[in-house]
Amino acid sequence: MTALNRIPIAERDVQEEKLPLLQVRGLRTCFESHYGSVTAVNELDLTVYPGEVLALVGESGCGKSVTAMSLMRLVEAPGRIESGQISFDGRDLLTLSTQEMTELRGAEIAMIFQQPKGSLNPVKRIGSQIAEQFERRRGMPHAKAWKLAVGLLERVGIPGAAEKAKAYPHQLSGGQAQRVMTAIALALEPRLLIADEPTTALDVTVQAQILRLLTERCRSHQTALILVTHDLGVVAQVADRVAVMYAGRIVEEAPVETLFANPSHPYTRGLLNAIPRGNHYSESRLEEIPGTVPVLGRNPEGCGFADRCQASYAGRLNQCSTQTPPTTRIAQGHTTRCWIYHSGDAQ
Ligand SMILES: Nc1ncnc2c1ncn2[C@@H]1O[C@H](COP(=O)(O)OP(=O)(O)OP(=O)(O)O)[C@@H](O)[C@H]1O
Ligand SMILES: [Mg+2]
């Protein structure tokens, strides 16, 4: 397997010594449709520590964005958070009032959305959109806020930031819009940053620059980052831990080195095996695994991966298609949702 080509970072902390910043337990988010209820996020547990980068990976439609939107409490009808707990610094976000949640968003938890242009106000200069974070939320006078906005645009790598601050979103390229979104997200120095495919639209150089900016922020300000990505190259470079999602559930979670060296869940193994030897992770996409993703909600009882499972033991365990495997801890910080481990058959 290709050696991990990590962006150099400061020595990592021992997470166990810290208190979690975010603890999600049993999160379930559903969408009502003509065909019934679709469970997009199911029994989701997630723990994130200050200063760490947690990558959330999985193929299209597995529930990554719905998870991110649920954490922000931004799921809109026909979607709904049905149950669970989202504990952020000891407060359960699901019990906060709308007003309390609005105050928390941006200031303590910020998100970089998958569709950057749609998230910017088309009739407002980008400088104003950043500056208003400081004006509204910090009561700063406009001139000072504008200066900070220009500084942020410089930091996210917008050339000629002072001039560009006067531009409107339609005058930006996709990459520039993503940088502006990054600037807005970083403005109030949130403690948790959720970045949903923040670099998909960017060329490789800009992608590396944004990722460096985000990870440096994590190390210097102890900001926690949940990085949603398809790109295993990005995971290898910047993540501390990885959560692999499949059909609405987290099927494996491990420190990044462990995941690449010792993947346990047949789905994770399939993902990594799908990468041609000698290739860089960055050239591979997760869609390469054979078979199709199950329709969410069709088989809520069994393991979502049972039909596609390539492992020799697939089918050997009756419960694969009839009961959802529980999360099993197989090593320090390494969990998996597969019957083979639960039943003690793992080699
Ligand atoms: N507005 C919606 N209405 C109905 N169902 C939805 C809606 N949004 C999401 N879903 C359901 O939730 C599932 C997960 O969607 P989500 O956007 O989280 O996937 P994703 O993992 O972010 O995919 P991608 O990698 O393509 O961004 C979808 O497969 C779909 O079934
Ligand atoms: Mg998505």
Side-chain angles (χ1 to χ4, degrees), residues 64-65 114 196:
K64 304 180 299 295
S65 293
Q114 197 167 3
D196 193 354

Side-chain angles (χ1 to χ4, degrees), residues 131 134 140-149:
F134 302 114
M140 218 177 257
H142 179 73
K144 193 174 172 195
W146 184 270
K147 223 172 157 184
L148 286 180

